[in-house]
Amino acid sequence: METSHTPVRDFYEAEPYPFGTDYGGYFERFIAPELRNREIKCVLDAGCGTGDLTRMIALELPNAQIDAIDFSQSSIEAAKAATPASVNINYYVGDLTSLADNPNAYDFIYCQGVLHHIRDPEPVIRNFRRSLVPQGLLIAWLYNPFGRRDIEDVIELNRRLGGANQSLDAQLSTINILIEALGSTAPGRLITGAQDEATLLPNRRKMVDRYFNPYYRHYTLKQAQSLFESNGFQVTEVLEFKNKELPDGIRQVAHERGLSLHGRELTWSLLELLKKPRGLAYALTSSGRAS
Ligand SMILES: C[S@@+](CC[C@H](N)C(=O)[O-])C[C@H]1O[C@@H](n2cnc3c(N)ncnc32)[C@H](O)[C@@H]1O
C-alpha cells in the first residue's frame, strides 16, 4: 500500500541507520541514568533502526524483555545480524503508525530520532500512551530547529547548486565543500581519506541521514511540549538540560525583572536559545488525562 511514509521507509531500506555508532557516548550520558532506580521489565524501542541503541538498552537492563520495531526490513536484518544470540531482543518489522493496541505492555518506550520523520505523529504518541503502564516512561528525541540551522543552509546551498540532478555520491562530495565554505560551525563531514569500512560506513550513513532524508520536521521545545501534552503526556525533563543552569548574568537579569526561574519552562526555553541543540530528548510520563 502506498502511504505518506513510503519515501522514508524506502530511504531507510537503502540506507539503514545508524550502523555502528554510539553517538559519542550519548546513550550513556543522557538515557542510561533515566533507567536506573526504576523497575523496568518490558521495553519497546520504537524505530530501532540497526539496533545500536537497542543493544545499549539491553546492556543497561539485562533482565528486561525488549521489543524493537522498525519499518525498514534491511535495518531489522542488520540489527539481528549485529545482536549476539545471548542478548534478548525481539526485533520486528512494523510500521508505528499502524501498531495494534497493546495496553499496559511496556514500562519504558524509547523513540530516538523517529517521530520527526512521521507526518502525523499524534496517533503514534497516543498508542505509546496506551502501551505504557500508568507510571511508565517515554523518552523521545526530536529534531530542534535552533541547532539544525546550518544543516538546513547546507541542504539549501546544495539545492541551489542543482544537487537534485547529481548522484548521491557526487552530492556528498559537494556537501564537504559546502561545509568548508560555511565554516567551522557547520556540522558533519564526509571522511574522504579513511579506508576502513568501520569508519566510513557509519560516517556516510550519518551524512546521508542528515542531508538527504526525504521527510522530517523540526520541533521547538514549545512545539514538542504541546505535541506531547495534547496526546496524554507531560514533559518531566529535557535530558540535555538536566542539571544545567543559566549563566549568572542571565539569572541576574531574570531576577531583576521579577521573573521566576523555579518552574523549568523559562529556563528550558532560554537554554534552547543559548545552547542551540540539534535535537532534544524529552522524558515523558502520562499526564493522567485520557487520550
Ligand atoms: C534516524 S533513524 C533512528 C534509529 C534509531 N532509533 C537510532 O536513533 O539510532 C529513524 C528510524 O525510524 C524508522 N521509522 C521511521 N518512521 C517509521 C515508522 N512509521 N514505523 C517504523 N519505523 C519508522 C526508520 O526506518 C529509521 O530506522
Side-chain angles (χ1 to χ4, degrees):
M1 187 179 72
E2 272 293 305
T3 71
S4 59
H5 305 289
T6 302
V8 174
R9 192 184 54 220
D10 290 350
F11 173 82
Y12 284 110
E13 210 56 84
E15 302 280 349
Y17 184 83
F19 235 120
T21 177
D22 74 347
Y23 299 101
Y26 174 84
F27 183 88
E28 198 41 53
R29 274 174 67 205
F30 294 107
I31 309 300
E34 302 305 307
L35 310 183
R36 295 176 188 145
N37 305 319
R38 270 184 169 266
E39 207 190 335
I40 299 180
K41 295 196 202 108
C42 292
V43 178
L44 173 66
D45 188 359
C48 61
T50 51
D52 299 58
L53 296 177
T54 326
R55 289 185 287 284
M56 291 187 191
I57 300 174
L59 277 180
E60 186 63 38
L61 303 171
N63 298 318
Q65 182 211 305
I66 302 174
D67 293 341
I69 184 167
D70 200 288
F71 67 0
S72 154
Q73 179 143 6
S74 59
S75 300
I76 291 292
E77 278 163 16
K80 283 182 178 167
T83 303
S86 56
V87 175
N88 183 20
I89 299 172
N90 307 310
Y91 290 106
Y92 302 95
V93 177
D95 189 331
L96 294 173
T97 62
S98 51
L99 271 190
D101 266 3
N102 201 357
N104 300 321
Y106 300 108
D107 306 293
F108 169 47
I109 297 179
Y110 186 41
C111 190
Q112 173 81 23
V114 182
L115 291 173
H116 50 229
H117 294 302
I118 298 178
R119 281 177 200 275
D120 180 11
E122 298 200 55
V124 176
I125 296 170
R126 289 197 292 272
N127 180 288
F128 287 168
R129 159 85 199 276
R130 292 190 293 275
S131 302
L132 277 174
V133 297
Q135 300 307 317
L137 171 70
L138 168 65
I139 295 180
W141 188 93
L142 293 178
Y143 282 161
N144 185 286
F146 290 90
R148 284 184 48 97
R149 172 61 212 236
D150 41 12
I151 293 177
E152 289 304 311
D153 290 346
V154 170
I155 291 171
E156 181 57 19
L157 281 165
N158 181 46
R159 192 189 68 76
R160 290 187 195 184
L161 287 164
N165 302 322
Q166 306 296 313
S167 71
L168 184 61
D169 284 320
Q171 290 183 70
L172 276 171
S173 301
T174 307
I175 297 287
N176 254 12
I177 295 166
L178 300 176
I179 289 170
E180 199 76 38
L182 270 169
S184 60
T185 61
R189 196 162 293 257
L190 188 64
I191 301 172
T192 45
Q195 295 301 315
D196 63 306
E197 271 290 293
T199 309
L200 283 178
L201 188 60
N203 176 248
R204 184 195 142 91
R205 289 284 152 81
K206 199 193 305 175
M207 296 293 286
V208 172
D209 189 63
R210 188 172 281 167
Y211 294 107
F212 299 99
N213 208 299
Y215 177 78
Y216 58 86
R217 63 156 289 188
H218 299 141
Y219 290 88
T220 62
L221 201 152
K222 198 126 200 86
Q223 289 167 336
Q225 200 167 5
S226 138
L227 173 71
F228 291 120
E229 285 178 3
S230 54
N231 290 289
F233 283 98
Q234 58 188 342
V235 178
T236 56
E237 194 52 86
V238 179
L239 298 183
E240 285 81 354
F241 297 160
K242 195 172 176 180
N243 304 322
K244 291 267 181 315
E245 294 298 344
L246 292 164
D248 288 347
I250 291 187
R251 294 170 65 81
Q252 182 64 30
V253 171
H255 177 71
E256 284 165 12
R257 295 183 182 174
L259 297 170
S260 165
L261 294 174
H262 285 311
R264 291 289 285 161
E265 292 202 14
L266 178 58
T267 302
W268 284 343
S269 80
L270 296 172
L271 284 171
E272 181 182 38
L273 273 165
L274 290 166
K275 303 251 176 228
K276 301 196 181 359
R278 222 162 277 159
L280 288 172
Y282 301 91
L284 302 136
T285 54
S286 161
S287 61
R289 280 190 286 278
S291 55

